[in-house]
Amino acid sequence: MKSKNIATVNKSVCVSCGACLDACPMSAISTPDGCYAKVNEDLCVGCGKCSRICPTGCISIIKREEQQNEEN
Amino acid sequence: MKKTKKWYDYLWIWPIVYFSLGYFNILFAWLGMIDFIVPLIIAGCGGGKAFCNRYCGRGKLFAVIPKLFKKENKKVAPGWMYSNIFRYGFLIFFLTMFGSMVYQTYLVFAGSASLKTAVKLFWTFKVPWKRAYTVTSVPAWVTQFSYGFYSLMLTSTLIGLIVMALYRPRTWCTFCPMGTMTQGICKLKK
């Protein structure tokens, strides 16, 4: 069962430092192209650890429905 | 859920070892070239920012220290600190200082300047470091580069420690010149 919340990255602010990668207990974050952090929606449990460690504050925790609405 | 630790999670030891070695013998400063060359090779070969993400000892150290003292600052860095203008401006400044250090090394190599056995902090304050000049049999320019490079490494680490205390632990990473360069390479390759 998927969590209610999910992490989302503001790409324009992310510097791809990798602090969130270390903090994520689910290994749900990666930087596939080296430019920005990317959240694996299936693995993310929305715990917010990445959001609390990000030095630029570019990761927010939002409701999954909100994210789906944003995508549509 | 706790992640199993990998060997690179312990790389925070590296900067401590590096600065300790340089404290006693300045020639060890050359080892810092690893931190300069490896990230560029990885980014250039399509490995993205794997160095920053996994293998950067300094980044790991900044993350470990606040945890150790249980004093993690929650404050997000001010916007200008991770703006492109500041990041690329700092990169240019850093590369200029690196170039100046290489030029100083050249002057010693050419015999136009004498060896200075001091570490320059924040590109301004000279700290006598003669006790680390223990191997005198190598050419003077090799030692001069060591002093210059050690100064650069120590200064950047001190800046990193200051911003670590003022803001979130890895704030240095937002404007780290190596991080800016590797991200730039990744964006160009995309």
Side-chain angles (χ1 to χ4, degrees):
Chain A
M1 194 184 144
K2 284 184 179 174
S3 62
K4 279 185 185 171
N5 300 328
I6 190 168
T8 178
V9 180
N10 180 349
K11 286 181 181 177
S12 64
V13 181
C14 178
V15 293
S16 190
C17 67
C20 51
L21 273 76
D22 277 343
C24 179
M26 305 304 290
S27 301
I29 309 180
S30 59
T31 53
D33 53 11
C35 299
Y36 321 101
K38 198 178 172 193
V39 179
N40 182 326
E41 293 170 19
D42 296 324
L43 294 177
C44 180
V45 292
C47 67
K49 284 192 175 179
C50 52
S51 166
R52 288 193 289 273
I53 201 77
C54 175
T56 64
C58 76
I59 306 179
S60 335
I61 304 298
I62 58 167
K63 300 250 178 265
R64 270 186 196 266
E65 309 99 75
E66 276 177 46
Q67 193 222 19
Q68 278 154 5
N69 291 341
E70 274 173 28
E71 278 174 4
N72 295 331
Chain B
M1 189 183 160
K2 222 172 182 187
K3 274 201 290 191
T4 48
K5 288 220 173 195
K6 304 260 172 44
W7 65 271
Y8 48 76
D9 288 320
Y10 298 94
L11 278 174
W12 52 267
I13 296 166
W14 168 238
I16 298 170
V17 170
Y18 175 78
F19 289 117
S20 306
L21 289 172
Y23 184 80
F24 296 106
N25 188 335
I26 199 67
L27 291 179
F28 282 111
W30 279 84
L31 288 174
M33 287 303 282
I34 297 169
D35 293 335
F36 257 59
I37 297 165
V38 174
L40 297 176
I41 293 174
I42 293 176
C45 294
K49 286 192 72 174
F51 186 85
C52 296
N53 298 167
R54 287 197 197 116
Y55 311 117
C56 178
R58 203 181 311 195
K60 300 244 181 257
L61 183 71
F62 296 147
V64 159
I65 293 173
K67 268 187 203 164
L68 197 71
F69 292 99
K70 293 188 173 111
K71 282 207 168 169
E72 217 162 295
N73 198 329
K74 303 265 183 266
K75 207 170 161 190
V76 174
W80 59 265
M81 209 177 264
Y82 49 85
S83 66
N84 279 338
I85 294 172
F86 180 73
R87 292 177 71 211
Y88 284 98
F90 189 71
L91 171 65
I92 292 166
F93 170 75
F94 202 82
L95 289 178
T96 308
M97 289 299 133
F98 183 79
S100 150
M101 185 264 286
V102 171
Y103 181 64
Q104 189 59 37
T105 305
Y106 169 74
L107 289 180
V108 172
F109 170 78
S112 315
S114 57
L115 173 67
K116 290 171 189 76
T117 54
V119 162
K120 223 177 194 182
L121 290 180
F122 301 101
W123 301 281
T124 314
F125 310 107
K126 277 185 185 171
V127 182
W129 213 268
K130 204 173 179 182
R131 75 183 161 277
Y133 182 39
T134 47
V135 181
T136 51
S137 53
V138 294
W141 70 268
V142 174
T143 311
Q144 185 59 61
F145 184 86
S146 303
Y147 275 109
F149 202 69
Y150 194 79
S151 305
L152 207 68
M153 294 293 274
L154 195 55
T155 298
S156 51
T157 304
L158 288 174
I159 296 172
L161 287 171
I162 293 166
V163 290
M164 175 203 79
L166 293 174
Y167 306 105
R168 290 189 178 180
R170 286 185 64 167
T171 297
W172 162 256
C173 304
T174 63
F175 59 94
C176 166
M178 293 314 298
T180 309
M181 261 198 282
T182 48
Q183 195 182 24
I185 293 170
C186 294
K187 280 182 179 172
L188 283 174
K189 283 180 85 102
K190 207 175 169 186

